[in-house]
Amino acid sequence: MNDTVAGTQGYGADADALAEQYESVTFEEVHGGLLHLYPTTPVRALDLGAGTGRDAAALARLGHTVMAVEPTPELRLRGQRLHPETALTWVDDALPDVPVLTGRGEQFGLILITAVWMHLDATERARGMRAVATLLAPGGILAMTVRSGPVPPGRRMFDVPEAETVALAKAAGLRVAHEGGRVDLHGRPGVRWSELVFIRP
């Protein structure tokens, strides 16, 4: 899929630097404020926009059956090298429509969308939420971490109002379980992260 996918521009070319950046923080640091909401018994989990697989590998170590979806082949390759010991299924698929997984009728008890949503424009976000809701199993949890702040050179990013994401989730039949935020773990000026968790009743 590569650079034809919304928001992946520049990621393949910068894969080495990005891999180092992604792996410099831990799953627990990134998701610490949300971990108490994640399933404690093993489920089928999906990391949408998995990057180098840091979070997907952590979920696998916790006993979940994990699918890591990443449209940028350079990042997928690095993820497979960095986390060879974990039982991850890597898939070339992407938001907003996630055609491969939706075509299979896949469903998951936990879906992570970390640092991905702001790459989609308003129309893509509406389509994306509908697609993700169909991938979420009844009782399943969707956890989203969305960036706001200055856009790095060569990237496609949008300012995403938190209220819009909540409204899209509700329209797709999901219930809000958590709304919060945190500072940027890399200390980038002006960058903040919204943290949103939804449940499919």
Side-chain angles (χ1 to χ4, degrees), residues 43 51 77 83 165:
V43 297
L77 182 61
H83 304 287
T165 307

Side-chain angles (χ1 to χ4, degrees), residues 69-138:
V69 165
E70 176 51 55
T72 304
E74 294 89 347
L75 291 177
R76 273 201 318 276
L77 182 61
R78 281 158 182 78
Q80 289 162 340
R81 288 177 184 159
L82 286 165
H83 304 287
E85 77 291 349
T86 47
L88 300 181
T89 302
W90 286 88
V91 178
D92 179 10
D93 204 1
L95 286 160
D97 301 309
V98 206
V100 175
L101 297 191
T102 54
R104 294 178 188 169
E106 300 266 9
Q107 287 201 313
F108 300 87
L110 174 64
I111 298 177
L112 300 185
I113 304 178
T114 306
V116 172
W117 199 245
M118 68 281 178
H119 292 304
L120 306 177
D121 66 25
T123 301
E124 292 161 345
R125 293 194 296 269
R127 282 165 44 202
M129 188 63 79
R130 289 193 294 270
V132 170
T134 67
L135 293 170
L136 201 58

Side-chain angles (χ1 to χ4, degrees), residues 133-196:
T134 67
L135 293 170
L136 201 58
I141 292 166
L142 165 63
M144 303 177 67
T145 306
V146 186
R147 184 190 198 275
S148 61
V151 177
R155 294 284 188 269
R156 179 192 195 249
M157 284 187 193
F158 302 92
D159 192 29
V160 182
E162 195 170 296
E164 179 209 88
T165 307
V166 170
L168 287 174
K170 287 180 175 177
L174 307 183
R175 178 173 64 80
V176 180
H178 176 84
E179 289 184 66
R182 62 167 170 78
V183 299
D184 183 57
L185 295 175
H186 299 287
R188 290 168 292 197
V191 176
R192 279 196 57 80
W193 296 86
S194 297
E195 296 180 319
L196 302 167

